[in-house]
Amino acid sequence: MFYMLKDGLNSKPNFESSVLILPAISVGNVGQLACDLIISTLQLQKIGYFCPECFLPLVGSNPFSTANDQKLSLTSEVFHSAEHNITVLQFRSPLVKGKRKEFCEKLTTWAKVEKFSQLIILSSCHAFERKDNEITGSPFRCLISPTFKNLPTQLNWGVFDKKENEELFIPGGGFTKDLYKVCCDSELAVIVLLTYCSEGDNIPDAMLVLDQLNKWKEFCKNENTNWITPISLSHMFGNPVPTGIF
Amino acid sequence: MASFFGEILPVVSRAVDDDDSDDSEIIVPSFVWKGEDFTNLKFKHIVFGIGTVATGFIESYCLPNKDGNEKAKLCEIIDCENTGSKTKERCVLKVYCDDKEDTIFCTCMSHVASEIIWPLKDQIFSKFQINTSTNIIILDSAPIHDFKSNKDITAPFVRSLCTNNFNKKTVFPMLEQPNLVKGISAAILTACEVEDIPAELCVCFIATCVVDFASIQAFCPLLTNSAFANVTMDNDLSVTRIKSLLSNQATTH
């Protein structure tokens, strides 16, 4: 489940009362982009890997280093900061088909065992699914579990509407719905922060979500935080035009 | 979704499928091992060649006898019950061994579907004694159009990635961000990283859709690595083998 990094760590960090932030693999990859920006801006330390066998395998070099850093990076990593009291999970590839249930159960078990105080799931939903009566105004929505205390009054985010049959429907949200339900069943304090968006360059969407989150959690004290884009987000739309064609 | 011209287009996402439910059954593939049993033998090095280029390099440069020293193979059992035909097998891994039994060479030429990558990795790791003292090298290839860089680089060229406890000097430059490697080679490297096994992955970026001389020979600087210490260098023999491989390829295409 959780594999601690062998080098550079003397003992396992104490996660108790830490806030666990994780992305849902959802439309526009907004949650994943937001997590990359948090890790990069707050310079969080990588401490291990979480359930890499549930994800399609993917390897690369350190996504947060501009120097020739030899450190390997895997598809599912755990970052932590005692100073900010947060733990951030980052996923870089989709779940293997049929592994969603196993992943949700392992994550909630781990969150319970390690006694995280809150879980924040950063997610997104297809913008074209917005109904006529909600098409104007803020694109941000939230879902809050019954055990979640100290509701963030600063956020002023709308509660995500359920369908007429009271069924939760998050198109493009990936595992958001399943994970939220498993967390509620396990009585974990969880909040899903999601935004309506369309596929494209979604870095601005991720920054807007983080601005909202920062109003609540105040990771960065400045109101207009400059979120640092890591090198891994370069070339998102391919290579520059080859000069040889001119 | 309606486009600018009014026609209805299917909405696709790079992150998620249209169908957000994941109630699909988990496919549990079956494998069968044929040949020698290696579970009680200890090897210093295990070299994996994934794809035609890496397999071509191993077959041309590393094997003392191209046909004679295949020791075992791992086959996936394809259940053809639904189609009414008999159960078939598909070879997913061929296992060779060097003369001094120091190094195991495994080659994989078949396409490995995403849902069987992890079960195949588990099978491979269960068939050999792999621990923190084993040295693993994985060779793979990828198309040049997958390589993202501001520089103009001529293919073929090799880049490498190592586990964090791999403390040897690598002969190839490190794979630059934001490039990534996926597939069975990524699964093997991931398993090595979490289990603290030293491993190196070398990826050859190629510009051709078929194997060529230059792509196979791009791996040659690796021959100085201790995993290939027992390989007898015979350039003429290797060139003859590559020529035979290319001519076979020409007839099959």
Side-chain angles (χ1 to χ4, degrees), chain A residues 19 25 31 35 38 72 106 120-121 132 140 145 153 160 162 173 186:
Chain A
V19 175
I25 299 153
C35 283
I38 299 177
L72 185 71
K106 280 184 172 173
I120 301 175
I121 304 170
D132 286 352
F140 306 112
S145 71
T153 49
F160 193 81
K162 289 186 176 173
S186 312

Side-chain angles (χ1 to χ4, degrees), chain A residues 6-240:
Chain A
K6 302 285 187 303
D7 59 339
L9 286 174
N10 299 324
S11 60
K12 200 184 92 177
N14 182 15
F15 296 119
E16 199 170 336
S17 82
S18 166
V19 175
L20 178 63
I21 301 175
L22 71 144
I25 299 153
S26 54
V27 57
N29 308 81
V30 174
Q32 292 160 285
L33 291 166
C35 283
D36 260 350
L37 295 172
I38 299 177
I39 297 161
S40 173
T41 309
L42 303 183
Q43 296 183 345
L44 302 185
Q45 187 193 10
K46 185 165 98 178
I47 55 158
Y49 308 106
F50 184 80
C51 276
E53 63 281 358
C54 285
F55 294 84
L56 291 177
L58 198 72
V59 289
S61 53
N62 184 357
F64 302 103
S65 168
T66 46
N68 256 10
D69 187 342
Q70 297 284 350
K71 298 284 180 207
L72 185 71
S73 178
L74 304 185
T75 180
S76 156
E77 298 183 314
V78 187
F79 296 81
H80 179 75
S81 163
E83 183 196 341
H84 296 96
N85 199 27
I86 57 167
T87 304
V88 178
L89 283 179
Q90 177 60 302
F91 310 128
R92 302 190 187 282
S93 64
L95 284 167
V96 176
K97 260 210 175 317
K99 288 269 188 179
R100 186 183 289 184
K101 195 176 166 212
E102 181 188 331
F103 166 75
C104 292
E105 281 168 3
K106 280 184 172 173
L107 184 75
T108 44
T109 308
W110 184 60
K112 277 204 130 177
V113 169
E114 299 295 348
K115 296 178 182 161
F116 286 104
S117 62
Q118 290 172 339
L119 260 74
I120 301 175
I121 304 170
L122 304 178
S123 182
S124 50
C125 181
H126 281 302
F128 62 81
E129 289 283 349
R130 288 175 86 173
K131 293 174 208 142
D132 286 352
N133 60 350
E134 57 179 26
I135 210 148
T136 53
S138 161
F140 306 112
R141 297 287 183 275
C142 66
L143 276 167
I144 300 165
S145 71
T147 48
F148 196 96
K149 293 187 177 76
N150 305 323
L151 294 177
T153 49
Q154 311 92 308
L155 280 179
N156 207 17
W157 285 21
V159 175
F160 193 81
D161 277 345
K162 289 186 176 173
K163 284 177 78 180
E164 284 151 10
N165 55 3
E166 288 297 301
E167 186 62 32
L168 196 57
F169 179 60
I170 312 175
F175 61 69
T176 310
K177 186 175 94 176
D178 292 336
L179 182 59
Y180 172 72
K181 278 185 173 175
V182 177
C183 287
C184 289
D185 293 344
S186 312
E187 297 182 343
L188 280 165
V190 61
I191 180 165
V192 181
L193 303 182
L194 52 79
T195 179
Y196 285 109
C197 74
S198 301
E199 201 89 25
D201 179 359
N202 299 96
I203 296 173
D205 293 310
M207 287 182 175
L208 288 173
V209 169
L210 282 187
D211 284 340
Q212 295 289 319
L213 184 62
N214 196 42
K215 276 185 193 168
W216 171 31
K217 288 290 173 189
E218 294 179 340
F219 304 125
C220 302
K221 301 294 174 201
N222 298 341
E223 200 160 287
N224 298 317
T225 309
N226 285 325
W227 300 104
I228 298 168
T229 313
I231 189 172
S232 56
L233 302 190
S234 59
H235 299 287
M236 272 179 74
F237 297 96
N239 283 339

Side-chain angles (χ1 to χ4, degrees), chain A residues 3 5-7 25-29 32-33 46 49 52-65 67-75 92 94 96-102 126 128 170-175 178 199-202 231-240 242-244, chain B residues 1 11-27 113-119 121-122 144-152 160-166 170 172-196 199 201:
Chain A
Y3 303 91
L5 209 62
K6 302 285 187 303
D7 59 339
I25 299 153
S26 54
V27 57
N29 308 81
Q32 292 160 285
L33 291 166
K46 185 165 98 178
Y49 308 106
E53 63 281 358
C54 285
F55 294 84
L56 291 177
L58 198 72
V59 289
S61 53
N62 184 357
F64 302 103
S65 168
N68 256 10
D69 187 342
Q70 297 284 350
K71 298 284 180 207
L72 185 71
S73 178
L74 304 185
T75 180
R92 302 190 187 282
V96 176
K97 260 210 175 317
K99 288 269 188 179
R100 186 183 289 184
K101 195 176 166 212
E102 181 188 331
H126 281 302
F128 62 81
I170 312 175
F175 61 69
D178 292 336
E199 201 89 25
D201 179 359
N202 299 96
I231 189 172
S232 56
L233 302 190
S234 59
H235 299 287
M236 272 179 74
F237 297 96
N239 283 339
T243 48
Chain B
M1 189 174 68
V11 179
V12 288
S13 166
R14 62 176 178 253
V16 284
D17 295 331
D18 281 351
D19 180 15
D20 275 343
S21 66
D22 184 43
D23 40 22
S24 52
E25 253 183 66
I26 299 177
I27 299 163
S114 58
E115 58 270 20
I116 71 154
I117 288 177
W118 287 113
K121 187 276 310 168
D122 291 341
I144 181 80
H145 62 76
D146 278 355
F147 189 78
K148 291 170 187 167
S149 172
N150 280 331
K151 296 174 199 156
D152 243 347
S160 86
L161 281 171
C162 308
T163 54
N164 288 335
N165 67 344
F166 188 87
T170 57
F172 300 115
M174 193 195 62
L175 182 71
E176 302 92 336
Q177 270 292 337
N179 296 291
L180 297 160
V181 182
K182 55 189 178 180
I184 184 71
S185 19
I188 296 171
L189 196 69
T190 299
C192 291
E193 170 65 16
V194 296
E195 289 171 31
D196 214 20
L201 164 63

